Amino acid sequence: MPTVSMKVNGKDAKADVDPRTLLVQFLRENLRLTGTHVGCDTSQCGACVVHVNGKAVKSCTMLALTADGAEILTIEGLANGAQLHPMQEAFRENHALQCGFCTPGMIMTAVDIVHRKGNNLEEHTIREELEGNICRCTGYHNIVKAIGAGARAMSGEVTKQAAE
Amino acid sequence: MSATGIGAAVRRKEDLRFITGKGQYTDDVSRPGQAHIYFVRSPHAHARIKRIDTKTAAGMPGVVGIVTGAEFAESKLGNLICGWTVLSKDGSPMKMAPHPALAVGKACHVGDPVAVVVADTLAQAKDAAEKINVDYEILPAVVDPTKAAGKGAPLIHDAAPNNTIYNWHIGDHDATAAAFRGAKHVTKLEFVNNRLVPNAMEPRAALAEYDAGTQHLTLWNATQNPHVARLVISAFVGIAPENKLRVIAPDVGGGFGSKIFIYPEEVVCLWAARQFNRPVKWTAERSESFISDAHGRDHVTTAELALDADHKITGLKVKTVANLGAYMSTFSSAVPTFLYATLLSGQYAIPHIYAEVDAVYTNTVPVDAYRGAGRPEATFVVERLVEAAARELDLDPADLRKKNFVKTFPYQTAVASLYDAGDYNASLQKALQIHDYKGFGKRKRESEKNGKIRGIGFATYIEACGVAPSSLVGQLGAGVGLWESAEVRVNPTGSVELLTGCHAHGQGHETTFAQLVAERLGIGIDQVNVVHGDTDKVQFGMGTYGSRSGAVGMSAIVKALDKVEAKAKKIAAHLLEAAEGDIVFKDGKFTVAGTDRSVAWGELALAAYVAHKFPTGEIEPGLKETAFYDPTNFTFPAGCHICEVEIDPETGVTSVVGWTAVDDFGTVINPMIVEGQVHGGVAQGVGQALLEHTVYNDSGQLVSGSYMDYAMPRADNLPSLKVDMTVTKCPSNPLGIKGCGEAGAIAAPAAVMNAITNALGTEKIDMPATPAAVWSTIQQLNKTRLAAE
Ligand code: FES
Ligand code: FES
């Protein structure tokens, strides 16, 4: 079995894997990082979104071997210790989750949207950008609200970090 | 109202684990040495299983065992059952055919499991499954419910001649016929209520473990009602006695009904765990969910509404064929009968109603309760008829509704329901105002200028929640009672564990239930821990579905809290050397009335456990109380939803451009959570009306079996929603709660289709109104118009 190694949430991870192992399986089963979920088998739902080298990727669509040498960020690594990421805070504040199953993928996607589209997001932009993420519980209303608020809060983060 | 008490929009306690990726769903749980199970499923809708060759597969790497349906049958376990007996018109019981966990002799739908492979890894199980050779003799299949009972349809089960499960009816046939004879106007419509796939985002999953030492089985299961699962698996399937089986429903990623039922997979996992003495895990892949989760809806209906010269509704006649699929799922029989036809009076005073329902078997996935369960179908019938009648009579649809609303309560309908409280006019009026109904004409002209067609539609729906009381549901054929339990355990330091028989899979009970307890005891919500979803911790409960947790579950909590307070007062009286009747409990303090002598909640709790200072002969030590609550009636939430759509006639694309919901849910514990329930329900209803379609071809193949083909509502299919409320308290439970979980899904399909038919000027379009369907309807109308000119 080939060996794969990558950096996950800042820590080195290495394992021998069956070549057909998906990145999501590697994260969930080898590393026991079960915050990343699997909601479909056709790359449609986005429950599995993580960041690979800073970009949102559906981890059910990538082989673990393809991610060899990459830096991976999962939902477990998003907060800064006990301090939640502003997008996590915004999801809680705006009741953007019910069963919570889509939530990790939604939050990872949301952070990526902000990275690409900036901190002032129009409602229709958010709705279009969420095309690849399905939520069955919330009707998206509060998710859209949360992403708008989280995006604005993230600009505060940037300024704060710059000031420090 | 306190900052965290009843009525406060408290942020959810459960969220921290979900937003940080620390939720524990069934598939997140792993046990040492666990094996994986893969279900080999029939690729045919109807086929005789002639032979299953497992020889090559058995020698594949990692294989622990392979079991076919016939081999599994040797274990002599019981079949899966439908727990609600419905009688036909002639008094004969429904024709329930055997439903073995693994098919024996014959497969009855695509996805019917015929064998299983247990292996060290899932990949190995799948590899081995590919080497299993099943020799099928393909039989003719029937998928269309209107053809299932007809001549020439293949017989699916010997137990059900003509594939008919029951011919049921309700109401007064003769009086309704007389009402139609005397009618001034009759509106008649035909509907298909499209079959839906529930699609909770967490696929179903089961993990079973056997402890050979204690002969104890544990099942982690994505279920909405762990106790009912344990009861059925023990008492009917006979896997193990109840006291040797623990069912844990950890975090569950949505249910919408589909996780109420007892499915083959959990039964086989339990059996295999004991058989192979290894923990056995199964998690559905999404394509597996499509062919194994119970589907929803699937009605074909003809309905007529009679009105008199004064536009009063005088009668309603309904004939429905309900497709229950290839087997009767756990509560399938009740959905198109007691949860459907008993709501056919809607919000209206209709003196005479008669409804007939024929339930049939077809070679499709079983159909059971899905968000709303019967009530969306009923609302669709009534609300489409009323809207169409208003158009035919050239009346404002809001006015026709107002004229016919039930106005005095209690109101006994012609179909058994007893509406206890409501103000239907108030919610309609408020919705009209919030929506700016008056401005619709102007908005329509604006759309016309842009080449678009605008339409508006209403749904003034009624729903029945918290199905109860147990004695009534027993009379109606239910195999269970529908009460709820609660246990309040006060710790020596005054913090509380609240054990509930309800189960949360998105509803936020950890927060709302804590709000109730904290307010009553005068402690912080962080001092209340809600425990649910584990049969070893909670003694018994009926789980969560049918919007019952507020109305029934929280009532049980109130009852348990009453008992806690009563005992605490006894203790306080002793500590304060006063008469019990003089003790007042307020803001977390027990005070002797008219004095400043008091003992705080925390001190009292400690005293209860230390028990140094009170006579244990008179008062037992400790502070813990249990209650079972059986309500006196269903609750009847109601409201008005208004949908506005804009249609592009060039493409047929329908955009929902405005939505107003004004609901009456009685007392609201946490408005933030309640609004969230409305949002989610509306999205599912809009999904049904515009997008979601479960398509079987004639040979019984599920054509829409993945997210590539089955259109789930996404963020850009929906608008922002305006959600508001009116309140009339429910008189049949102590908090006045009615329930809110299904309202959106009940109201939305009718509201959307009323808006689309309003825009198009025809009643002849079925759900889902996809761009193709809308475009073809427009072309057809244009052709007819041209021909007429
Ligand atoms: S699990 Fe990756 S997109 Fe659905
Ligand atoms: S919160 Fe349940 S799927 Fe999104």
Side-chain angles (χ1 to χ4, degrees):
Chain A
M1 283 203 286
T3 303
V4 63
S5 62
M6 58 188 88
K7 206 173 218 129
V8 180
N9 301 333
K11 279 196 219 123
D12 290 322
K14 193 170 167 180
D16 296 337
V17 295
D18 184 342
R20 57 184 153 170
T21 305
L22 300 170
L23 176 58
V24 68
Q25 291 170 323
F26 180 74
L27 295 170
R28 288 181 56 80
E29 284 154 32
N30 290 67
L31 307 184
R32 302 297 307 145
L33 292 170
T34 54
T36 303
H37 296 152
V38 178
C40 74
D41 44 15
T42 51
S43 239
Q44 300 272 312
C45 77
C48 61
V49 171
V50 300
H51 293 181
V52 178
N53 296 328
K55 289 208 173 84
V57 166
K58 288 180 170 171
S59 62
C60 72
T61 314
M62 189 180 210
L63 292 169
L65 288 177
T66 319
D68 193 44
E71 290 213 18
I72 312 284
L73 182 68
T74 73
I75 188 73
E76 288 93 342
L78 191 63
N80 184 1
Q83 167 147 32
L84 293 177
H85 185 278
M87 193 58 80
Q88 291 172 311
E89 219 32 292
F91 266 62
R92 175 162 68 176
E93 187 54 30
N94 291 283
H95 186 35
L97 57 146
Q98 291 180 24
C99 78
F101 195 79
C102 72
T103 310
M106 284 284 179
I107 292 178
M108 296 311 282
T109 300
V111 171
D112 182 69
I113 297 173
V114 181
H115 288 161
R116 288 183 293 107
K117 299 271 166 176
N119 299 90
N120 287 313
L121 298 171
E122 306 245 8
E123 181 184 330
H124 74 91
T125 312
I126 301 174
R127 287 187 183 273
E128 281 158 23
E129 288 290 330
L130 284 181
E131 177 63 27
N133 291 70
I134 303 177
C135 173
R136 193 55 151 172
C137 297
T138 63
Y140 305 99
H141 184 101
N142 288 342
I143 292 180
V144 172
K145 242 169 63 184
I147 295 178
R152 285 189 298 276
M154 278 170 73
S155 82
E157 271 308 282
V158 175
T159 352
K160 218 163 54 194
Q161 273 166 16
E164 276 166 11
Chain B
M1 183 177 84
S2 75
T4 59
I6 293 176
V10 179
R11 299 302 180 263
R12 299 200 321 170
K13 293 174 64 172
E14 43 275 82
D15 284 358
L16 184 62
R17 67 177 185 273
F18 295 131
I19 56 178
T20 53
K22 299 205 172 60
Q24 276 276 300
Y25 302 87
T26 299
D27 190 58
D28 301 339
V29 181
S30 280
R31 303 298 298 163
Q34 81 190 8
H36 296 261
I37 192 165
Y38 183 78
F39 286 80
V40 179
R41 298 177 185 277
S42 170
H44 306 296
H46 200 193
R48 204 165 300 291
I49 303 161
K50 287 164 63 183
R51 213 169 66 91
I52 303 184
D53 180 358
T54 59
K55 222 154 113 216
T56 321
M60 297 280 289
V63 170
V64 175
I66 298 179
V67 186
T68 66
E71 288 159 0
F72 184 76
E74 287 166 19
S75 64
K76 298 268 182 289
L77 291 172
N79 289 316
L80 295 161
I81 51 137
C82 172
W84 197 308
T85 304
V86 169
L87 305 181
S88 276
K89 290 172 193 166
D90 63 6
S92 62
M94 63 187 192
K95 309 283 187 292
M96 178 166 61
H99 182 193
L102 295 180
V104 187
K106 172 165 120 154
C108 294
H109 66 90
V110 170
D112 207 355
V114 300
V116 289
V117 183
V118 179
D120 291 338
T121 71
L122 182 59
Q124 288 168 332
K126 283 184 178 182
D127 288 347
E130 274 183 26
K131 301 282 184 229
I132 293 181
N133 216 327
V134 188
D135 190 1
Y136 289 106
E137 175 195 338
I138 299 173
L139 302 170
V142 59
V143 298
D144 180 344
T146 63
K147 295 196 181 128
K151 273 210 178 62
L155 184 67
I156 301 171
H157 300 290
D158 294 336
N162 301 317
N163 295 321
T164 298
I165 298 166
Y166 52 73
N167 305 110
W168 179 86
H169 69 162
I170 190 170
D172 188 330
H173 173 271
D174 295 347
T176 308
F180 274 83
R181 281 195 298 276
K184 180 83 190 1
H185 181 86
V186 172
T187 295
K188 180 175 179 179
L189 291 177
E190 286 169 15
F191 317 102
V192 173
N193 206 294
N194 45 328
R195 176 187 277 246
L196 303 174
V197 182
N199 274 307
M201 289 317 296
E202 181 212 13
R204 283 194 298 118
L207 167 62
E209 184 172 33
Y210 182 61
D211 181 331
T214 59
Q215 297 171 337
H216 208 107
L217 280 157
T218 303
L219 174 71
W220 288 263
N221 192 195
T223 172
Q224 298 176 221
N225 46 350
H227 291 88
V228 178
R230 183 176 69 153
L231 175 63
V232 171
I233 292 170
S234 283
F236 294 92
V237 183
I239 287 275
E242 258 182 306
N243 58 324
K244 291 285 184 191
L245 174 60
R246 174 183 187 186
V247 179
I248 301 171
D251 286 327
V252 173
F256 315 111
S258 69
K259 291 172 183 164
I260 300 172
F261 321 120
I262 320 306
Y263 288 94
E265 291 84 2
E266 45 261 31
V267 168
V268 178
C269 282
L270 281 166
W271 178 85
R274 184 166 53 201
Q275 182 75 6
F276 302 115
N277 200 15
R278 299 247 322 245
V280 171
K281 187 189 232 178
W282 171 75
T283 302
E285 294 181 8
R286 182 57 59 183
S287 45
E288 225 179 341
S289 308
F290 271 95
I291 52 170
S292 71
D293 290 4
H295 292 174
R297 320 280 190 256
D298 209 343
H299 285 193
V300 180
T301 296
T302 307
E304 294 176 72
L305 192 71
L307 297 103
D308 68 12
D310 190 29
H311 305 140
K312 280 268 192 200
I313 301 170
T314 54
L316 171 66
K317 241 184 341 196
V318 177
K319 167 95 204 183
T320 293
V321 180
N323 187 351
L324 297 194
Y327 300 104
M328 292 190 73
S329 174
T330 318
F331 290 111
S332 56
S333 55
V335 177
T337 49
F338 301 113
L339 296 178
Y340 165 68
T342 54
L343 273 305
L344 282 170
S345 203
Q347 296 188 354
Y348 312 106
I350 306 179
H352 304 292
I353 301 175
Y354 180 67
E356 291 174 282
V357 179
D358 296 342
V360 294
Y361 280 119
T362 61
N363 295 110
T364 60
V365 170
V367 177
D368 206 324
Y370 165 63
R371 201 172 196 168
R375 291 149 290 177
E377 295 92 314
T379 291
F380 196 76
V381 169
V382 180
E383 288 305 293
R384 288 284 295 114
L385 278 173
V386 169
E387 195 96 7
R391 287 172 196 159
E392 288 168 2
L393 295 165
D394 206 16
L395 300 169
D396 185 310
D399 292 340
L400 181 61
R401 285 180 165 85
K402 280 185 216 162
K403 176 158 219 145
N404 286 283
F405 278 155
V406 170
K407 293 181 188 87
T408 47
F409 296 88
Y411 174 80
Q412 176 64 57
T413 69
V415 278
S417 296
L418 180 69
Y419 297 170
D420 51 6
D423 186 346
Y424 306 145
N425 208 21
S427 43
L428 173 66
Q429 220 48 57
K430 193 165 182 183
L432 289 174
Q433 190 218 333
I434 293 173
H435 193 83
D436 184 20
Y437 182 54
K438 286 206 190 91
F440 174 70
K442 191 160 159 250
R443 296 194 292 276
K444 189 171 170 72
R445 287 190 293 278
E446 212 51 52
S447 295
E448 260 160 34
K449 274 190 216 147
N450 300 321
K452 304 272 173 64
I453 324 171
R454 197 174 265 260
I456 193 164
F458 295 82
T460 49
Y461 72 92
I462 186 106
E463 115 162 85
C465 295
V467 176
S470 299
S471 59
L472 175 71
V473 299
Q475 281 166 31
L476 298 179
V480 290
L482 284 168
W483 44 266
E484 198 42 80
S485 76
E487 182 177 329
V488 176
R489 295 202 309 222
V490 180
N491 297 318
T493 54
S495 64
V496 169
E497 272 108 37
L498 169 73
L499 285 73
T500 168
C502 295
H503 181 271
H505 27 279
Q507 294 87 342
H509 296 168
E510 289 170 44
T511 305
T512 49
F513 288 11
Q515 284 179 257
L516 173 64
V517 175
E519 180 166 84
R520 176 75 179 264
L521 301 180
I523 57 181
I525 59 166
D526 291 337
Q527 285 175 274
V528 183
N529 230 34
V530 176
V531 178
H532 64 112
D534 184 340
T535 59
D536 262 14
K537 294 181 180 161
V538 178
Q539 188 234 330
F540 204 91
M542 297 308 298
T544 287
Y545 40 82
S547 309
R548 65 190 303 279
S549 302
V552 191
M554 292 184 96
S555 299
I557 301 172
V558 169
K559 211 173 149 191
L561 286 168
D562 288 345
K563 293 186 188 176
V564 166
E565 185 176 322
K567 178 163 183 194
K569 277 184 172 165
K570 258 197 190 115
I571 299 172
H574 190 81
L575 295 174
L576 297 167
E577 294 172 340
E580 204 182 312
D582 290 341
I583 303 292
V584 184
F585 181 50
K586 206 170 161 266
D587 301 329
K589 230 166 50 182
F590 297 85
T591 311
V592 182
T595 73
D596 58 0
R597 282 189 298 140
S598 68
V599 53
W601 169 255
E603 295 170 61
L604 182 124
L606 190 62
Y609 286 90
V610 175
H612 286 171
K613 288 214 194 107
F614 61 86
T616 47
E618 280 164 47
I619 315 169
E620 285 177 27
L623 194 50
K624 179 193 90 153
E625 297 290 345
T626 303
F628 288 76
Y629 176 81
D630 200 353
T632 53
N633 190 0
F634 289 51
T635 69
F636 295 95
C640 174
H641 286 220
I642 304 178
C643 166
E644 206 163 310
V645 298
E646 202 179 54
I647 295 172
D648 181 344
E650 298 297 320
T651 60
V653 169
T654 301
S655 309
V656 178
V657 290
W659 198 283
T660 304
V662 178
D663 299 287
D664 177 359
F665 298 134
T667 303
V668 167
I669 305 293
N670 184 326
M672 176 191 82
I673 286 177
V674 167
E675 283 172 23
Q677 288 291 319
V678 176
H679 298 153
V682 167
Q684 282 174 331
V686 170
Q688 168 165 29
L690 293 181
L691 301 157
E692 296 179 41
H693 202 12
T694 312
V695 183
Y696 277 99
N697 68 12
D698 287 342
S699 65
Q701 291 296 328
L702 179 61
V703 178
S704 54
S706 82
Y707 289 156
M708 314 280 277
D709 323 285
Y710 186 93
M712 291 282 281
R714 293 174 191 254
D716 54 358
N717 299 122
L718 292 153
S720 264
L721 310 167
K722 287 185 198 148
V723 175
D724 212 318
M725 281 161 218
T726 55
V727 177
T728 61
K729 295 210 175 188
C730 174
S732 43
N733 62 64
L735 292 164
I737 295 178
K738 295 185 180 179
C740 65
E742 296 154 294
I746 291 171
V752 175
M753 294 312 286
N754 280 339
I756 291 178
T757 50
N758 170 257
L760 297 179
T762 176
E763 305 300 338
K764 289 201 185 69
I765 180 166
D766 275 322
M767 298 188 287
T770 59
V774 171
W775 187 84
S776 323
T777 308
I778 294 173
Q779 300 310 309
Q780 198 55 45
L781 287 169
N782 288 344
K783 239 190 257 165
T784 324
R785 219 168 281 143
L786 279 177
E789 274 164 17

